[in-house]
Amino acid sequence: METNTNISITLPDGSVKKHPRGASALEVAESIGPGLAGDAVAARIDGALVDLSSKISQDRRLEIITADSEEGLGILRHSTSHVMALAVQRLYKGVQFGIGPAINDGFYYDFDLKDAISSDDLTEIEEEMERIVSEKLPFRREELSIGDARSLFESIGQPYKLELLEEIEDEKVNVYRTGDFVDLCRGPHIPDTSGLKNFKLLSVAGAYWRGSATKPQLQRIYGTAFARKKELKKYLHRVEEAEKRDHRRIGRELDLFSMDEEIGKGLVLWHPKGVEIRERIEQYWKNEHRLRGYQFVRTPHLASEKVYQRSGHIPQYEDMMYAPIEIEGERYRVKPMNCPGHIKIFQSQMRSYRDLPIRYAELGTVYRFEMSGALHGMLRVRGFTQDDAHIFCTPQQLPGEVEELLGLVDEIMGAFGYRYKAYLATRPEVSLQTATDQEWERATEALQSGLQRYGMDYSVEAGEGTFYAPKIDVKLFDALGRQWQGPTIQVDLNLPKRFEVKYIADDGKEHECIIVHRAILGSLERFVGGLIEHFGGWFPLWLAPEQVRVLPITDDHTEYAHNVRDTLRAGGIRTTCDERNEKTGYKVHSGTTDKVPYLLIVGEKEVKSGTVSVRSHDGGDEGPCALEDLMERMNKEVETKALPKNFVSDTD
RNA sequence: GCUGCUGUAGCUCAGUCGGCAGAGCGCGUCCUUGGUAAGGACGAGGCCAUGGGUUCGAGUCCCGUCAGCAGCACCA
């Protein structure tokens, strides 16, 4: 006969523990070990996430969730957001609450309140939060019927919560109470506020209710929380590190580019050193494309509106195009896209299947009217140069072309030291109706088979394609582990029809051409901006605008320094000479802050022995070296596109 | 575009209660001629974003405009 006082609890490692019926998850955790109980934030009972206070009344599987897991950390942060909400409720009258979830690196809560919160107020809110933590207030869960919940939130004047309730279909909902703060919330939460020790409020900003620009705008406070102080510190350090790498700051410090109010918003002025970097990239890009059978074309910056009418850009994107310019009664537009020009070149003669594939590439500068709030340094601008190309091919050739393209992606992203991940984005809900289901399917399958043929890992993002094309998006991970938008490969289902792009097949008849639209770098502006942050300004030798700086110790050595410089220059190495009237330490300092990979110190010793003393970014003070040996080493470094040593941040 | 914050020397920033515009870096001249992350002295450099208002008096307070920043929304 089974005892009804004990139940069996199965732990993740398979072991079974006997506990009295009605034991709480926390009690079980305590019986396993006080350490675990202390770190516990919630529990999973038979697969469902619940509070630690949950009583277990039958045989169950139990997992104790700690803040060391991603899930547990999310719970900790979510609980912190409630504490912040309580603090705000205490400090400001008549607050209405939006939502307050955990996010990637922390949490936020949205508030509707009369007074504007500024970042100066965050300290005060943080202090109130500390107080709440020391009060050790429990997170108390209550289960209410929808009707009761509605009257509750009505009585405390929380219209946003009522709106959320409208959409819940269950009969019962949870509310959590922490002190005087009540929230509609699925949970779970940590047992009480004393478990929150390591948090920080980060910023305050506006955010639309429910993410919709037509809805009211609330004030959002962002914060983060961690299980351990060390992790919080590490995170804050990483944020700082990212700030130091900000391409706008480094762009100014290294004199790479600037923007000017009088030139216009979102328009980049490339300085000589920035151009130097850009040209290395362009040169490399061109070589790789030439190797793969691309031909280079150029199309005008301005075109008659007719072509964008036909392409569909005007009906679809007019609000993001620059206004028309009227000449001789005809309206012209600054080009927002390179495709129409490439198509016209393709159509300048009859094309046989024997000519295909035709691959046209252009570093094409386009202009788009991005909303002012969207602009961000070089990463989001109004005038930019796409590394655009269009592949005209037959349906049979498509998978092979995709495969080739992935090889190109791999080559180029690898050269810059990016890790990446591919995503297959399929037909979205709202999509072009002129293309048949079959065409969507065939295009998507071709992309997929290209991925498989190349052997590239990918995941499917259902419905994330553009309205006119399924696509492969490649996302990059930079040295700080941050994600960037990378290459994109799109099978265009729109333009071949609109422009009637045809070729003559082996049956002697006209067939519709496949057009693949693709960019590897995206835009030179964004790519270079991203690279600056990726490398933190320490470019690999092949890209560095100033590869070598010669530092003569006194005036007596300038002549020798000039010889060294000129020899290097003759060898194709970008070299300058710092002949300022300063001490060597000063010149080394200045060469380092200017992020020059090689500093060559030349003094009495070097003049006599005909050497240079090398100080490199990778190797530090390396001592004397014969110039020819150094040149050989640098040439090799340039040729192999060697990445700087340890350019990955040590905070990772 | 929306909400909030910020505009002071080329850059980073101080400027108290409304009372003569400041520092460091950088730049120039001079001294110094030196050995691996900042030698010294002197000097130039400002319509305090901009237009209005309050005031005896505005960098400072109020309103508008412009620009930048953060987030949201947007991103062929």
Side-chain angles (χ1 to χ4, degrees), chain A residues 141-157:
Chain A
R141 188 176 73 94
E142 278 170 41
E143 203 173 72
L144 297 181
S145 70
I146 289 274
D148 287 350
R150 199 170 292 145
S151 17
L152 169 67
F153 287 112
E154 241 161 40
S155 72
I156 56 173

Side-chain angles (χ1 to χ4, degrees), chain A residues 276-287:
Chain A
E276 203 61 67
I277 294 167
R278 175 174 168 162
E279 274 186 354
R280 299 307 131 200
I281 297 170
E282 289 185 358
Q283 214 170 58
Y284 166 58
W285 179 91
K286 273 195 182 167
N287 282 339

Side-chain angles (χ1 to χ4, degrees), chain A residues 339-357:
Chain A
C339 346
H342 294 193
I343 288 171
K344 290 295 182 185
I345 295 171
F346 180 85
Q347 290 180 318
S348 63
Q349 50 178 279
M350 288 284 267
R351 304 291 179 179
S352 148
Y353 72 98
R354 294 175 192 277
D355 301 327
L356 302 186

Side-chain angles (χ1 to χ4, degrees), chain A residues 163 208-210 212-217:
Chain A
E163 194 178 326
Y208 296 109
W209 169 237
R210 319 216 72 184
S212 163
T214 58
K215 301 236 162 82
Q217 196 161 33

Side-chain angles (χ1 to χ4, degrees), chain A residues 40-259:
Chain A
V41 295
R44 190 194 308 279
I45 299 180
D46 279 1
L49 272 179
V50 295
D51 292 325
L52 283 168
S53 58
S54 303
K55 305 255 187 277
I56 309 171
S57 54
Q58 315 174 32
D59 293 356
R60 294 290 191 203
R61 280 183 298 113
L62 173 74
E63 185 188 340
I64 302 295
I65 309 287
T66 71
D68 292 323
S69 70
E70 204 164 302
E71 211 170 23
L73 189 56
I75 291 165
L76 188 81
R77 289 168 171 172
H78 184 194
S79 296
T80 315
S81 85
H82 278 227
V83 169
M84 179 171 79
L86 171 58
V88 169
Q89 177 174 283
R90 283 181 178 179
L91 294 170
Y92 300 84
K93 280 195 205 111
V95 192
Q96 297 178 342
F97 296 98
I99 57 167
I103 49 171
N104 240 344
D105 284 324
F107 62 87
Y108 66 80
Y109 213 114
D110 287 346
F111 308 100
D112 191 346
L113 72 174
K114 293 253 154 39
D115 319 276
I117 298 179
S118 81
S119 47
D120 299 338
D121 301 324
L122 295 182
T123 323
E124 198 191 355
I125 298 170
E126 259 174 10
E127 281 163 9
E128 190 60 41
M129 288 170 72
E130 300 284 4
R131 209 161 297 135
I132 293 164
V133 167
S134 65
E135 287 166 19
K136 205 178 176 182
L137 298 174
F139 283 85
R140 278 208 311 275
R141 188 176 73 94
E142 278 170 41
E143 203 173 72
L144 297 181
S145 70
I146 289 274
D148 287 350
R150 199 170 292 145
S151 17
L152 169 67
F153 287 112
E154 241 161 40
S155 72
I156 56 173
Q158 293 297 338
Y160 297 105
K161 296 296 171 187
L162 286 169
E163 194 178 326
L164 292 174
L165 271 174
E166 290 306 310
E167 286 167 29
I168 295 179
E169 292 180 355
D170 307 340
E171 285 168 16
K172 299 254 180 191
V173 293
N174 284 340
V175 299
Y176 276 83
R177 287 177 189 274
T178 319
D180 292 332
F181 173 64
V182 196
D183 203 356
L184 174 68
C185 178
R186 229 176 250 122
H189 280 285
I190 62 171
D192 65 69
T193 58
S194 70
L196 304 173
K197 300 241 159 53
N198 309 299
F199 59 83
K200 178 140 186 64
L201 302 188
L202 300 172
S203 60
V204 52
Y208 296 109
W209 169 237
R210 319 216 72 184
S212 163
T214 58
K215 301 236 162 82
Q217 196 161 33
L218 311 178
Q219 299 189 60
R220 174 174 296 179
I221 302 179
Y222 284 93
T224 194
F226 286 88
R228 282 161 239 295
K229 174 144 268 122
K230 215 172 72 189
E231 292 161 344
L232 175 64
K233 274 187 149 169
K234 198 170 125 182
Y235 172 79
L236 295 174
H237 179 75
R238 210 180 70 196
V239 171
E240 237 174 79
E241 177 69 13
E243 259 164 44
K244 268 190 250 158
R245 287 177 177 231
D246 189 310
H247 72 284
R248 292 165 299 183
R249 173 212 278 262
I250 294 181
R252 192 189 320 107
E253 286 170 354
L254 300 189
D255 195 16
L256 304 177
F257 72 92
S258 64
M259 313 276 233

